[in-house]
Amino acid sequence: MSQETKKSKKKEVKKEKAAQVQDNVKKALDTDADKDDKLKFGPSISFPYQRVWSRCILILGVLFIVWYNSRQGKEIYLAKQKDVLVSRTQNVECSKEYKNELDQFPGCLPEKCGRVVTDKLVTSTESDVLLRLVMNGMSLGGSDGGATILDLHSGALSKNSNFINIYKLEEREKLFNAADFAIYKVVKTKIQHAIAHNFGVDVDKIYLTKPTFFSRMTSAPAVTIHDEYWHAHVDKETYEHFHYTSLLYLNDFGRDFDGGKFVFIDKNNVNSTVEPRKGRVLMFTSGSENLHAVEKVKSGTRYALTVSFTCDVNAAISDPSYRNVLK
């Protein structure tokens, strides 16, 4: 081996040793730095049951939310304004006193008690005619409070804090015509047959009864007890002869007014809500199985027609006649 080759190998060995020394120094420095960090900040903290506690806290939070919501009550939407329903039924158990009374009226006891909503019974044209009729009629009166009533059968119309007879006013002939009353009768007959069909009763065994009336509700504060329409009640407790109740809505919740939803108040703190929709018909049995209320109107004006039926022929009323206008 030549002298030059030996010198070259020695240089390479020296370089490798120098590099190894540098690596050892670096490792030593890194180790010292780790030790300094541990001395400065202490050892890392760990909890052997940390995951268990986290899950317990999460479960308790969920249970609290469920409990809180149960205290506030639950709301089920039987019909929202945006829905277009051919028919939707919600059955409830008939109250005993309701069934016991109807035993004396053969053919009038429902197969099942409950509520029915349909948007396909009354046409848009029929709703428009009735809305124009009620707006024209109420232009001759109007309650000082939030609720105005117009009864075409008796002619009763809210006026300030009392009632007047609309058929005694000179302006009546300019507001109504024979076609209005014909449409009113057609709509009443449609609802009567729908009640008979949906509750499984004989259509000839249920009769139109009073009060059957138009209503206008606004956000104006109540002046008399007649303006306080929002109290929970049972129709049959208010009017003993009631057996079937229906409502026809003449304008739209969320568009023409806010508030004014119809709410059935059921057991177990559960409410079933109906949002008014133009042309929508709500039908229900009038016993205590259907405790209900109307929410206060917050803004705008809500129009509806209440049509009531009885199984007692002695409580029946006839259809309103255009001849009353001409008298």
Side-chain angles (χ1 to χ4, degrees):
M1 183 180 293
S2 66
Q3 193 70 23
E4 290 182 359
T5 302
K6 290 180 179 180
K7 287 181 180 180
S8 177
K9 283 187 176 182
K10 285 181 179 180
K11 286 181 181 180
E12 288 179 3
V13 171
K14 285 181 180 180
K15 285 181 180 180
E16 289 176 359
K17 288 182 177 180
Q20 188 175 0
V21 170
Q22 287 180 354
D23 288 341
N24 291 338
V25 170
K26 186 177 180 182
K27 289 178 180 179
L29 290 173
D30 290 342
T31 301
D32 290 341
D34 289 340
K35 288 180 179 179
D36 289 342
D37 287 343
K38 288 179 180 180
L39 290 172
K40 184 176 181 181
F41 299 106
S44 59
I45 301 174
S46 63
F47 295 99
Y49 299 105
Q50 186 173 2
R51 184 174 296 178
V52 175
W53 280 109
S54 298
R55 289 179 179 176
C56 288
I57 292 171
L58 178 61
I59 291 171
L60 287 172
V62 171
L63 290 175
F64 174 79
I65 292 171
V66 171
W67 170 80
Y68 181 80
N69 287 338
S70 67
R71 289 179 69 248
Q72 299 302 306
K74 298 177 182 178
E75 185 174 31
I76 297 172
Y77 277 92
L78 180 56
K80 290 192 172 185
Q81 191 279 334
K82 63 182 180 181
D83 297 335
V84 181
L85 304 174
V86 175
S87 182
R88 179 174 290 171
T89 301
Q90 187 179 60
N91 293 323
V92 295
E93 185 178 355
C94 296
S95 59
K96 290 182 180 180
E97 65 275 12
Y98 181 76
K99 290 182 67 175
N100 290 341
E101 180 181 343
L102 287 187
D103 282 341
Q104 63 181 301
F105 299 109
C108 203
L109 180 67
E111 293 176 353
K112 291 182 179 179
C113 289
R115 312 97 189 222
V116 181
V117 181
T118 177
D119 296 313
K120 295 295 185 178
L121 184 64
V122 176
T123 68
S124 179
T125 299
E126 290 166 343
S127 298
D128 287 338
V129 169
L130 295 181
L131 180 59
R132 177 179 55 79
L133 185 156
V134 64
M135 292 178 72
N136 286 343
M138 289 184 177
S139 69
L140 301 179
S143 168
D144 289 333
T148 296
I149 300 299
L150 172 61
D151 182 343
L152 288 185
H153 299 265
S154 66
L157 171 65
S158 302
K159 176 74 171 180
N160 302 126
S161 299
N162 298 301
F163 288 90
I164 59 173
N165 188 339
I166 195 171
Y167 297 135
K168 300 293 184 181
L169 304 179
E170 293 182 1
E171 303 95 325
R172 68 191 185 281
E173 294 183 32
K174 299 177 182 178
L175 301 180
F176 305 124
N177 57 54
D180 293 338
F181 285 79
I183 293 295
Y184 181 92
K185 183 177 180 179
V186 167
V187 169
K188 181 271 300 184
T189 303
K190 281 185 175 183
I191 294 173
Q192 183 176 4
H193 280 79
I195 288 175
H197 171 74
N198 283 282
F199 293 105
V201 299
D202 189 338
V203 69
D204 295 324
K205 300 292 185 177
I206 56 174
Y207 311 95
L208 186 68
T209 192
K210 62 180 181 181
T212 284
F213 57 91
F214 290 98
S215 61
R216 181 181 73 192
M217 297 177 180
T218 70
S219 59
V223 175
T224 71
I225 192 171
H226 301 293
D227 299 318
E228 298 180 11
Y229 55 81
W230 52 82
H231 298 299
H233 63 279
V234 172
D235 285 350
K236 192 151 185 27
E237 291 178 359
T238 307
Y239 305 102
E240 272 188 43
H241 55 283
F242 270 34
H243 294 113
Y244 296 94
T245 308
S246 70
L247 285 157
L248 166 62
Y249 297 106
L250 299 176
N251 59 349
D252 290 301
F253 166 82
R255 296 179 181 176
D256 303 307
F257 60 92
D258 286 318
K261 294 185 289 185
F262 189 101
V263 182
F264 290 104
I265 304 166
D266 294 325
K267 298 176 181 179
N268 302 321
N269 205 25
V270 176
N271 294 336
S272 297
T273 299
V274 177
E275 293 180 345
R277 175 185 174 88
K278 182 180 177 181
R280 171 168 289 167
V281 177
L282 167 63
M283 302 165 277
F284 55 95
T285 49
S286 304
S288 59
E289 67 278 352
N290 278 320
L291 174 68
H292 61 273
V294 176
E295 294 180 349
K296 290 183 180 181
V297 172
K298 298 177 182 177
S299 63
T301 305
R302 175 189 188 270
Y303 288 97
L305 170 63
T306 298
V307 186
S308 312
F309 296 92
T310 182
C311 299
D312 185 357
V313 67
N314 295 316
I317 60 173
S318 59
D319 294 318
S321 172
Y322 184 60
R323 286 177 294 180
N324 290 335
V325 179
L326 302 177
K327 287 181 180 178

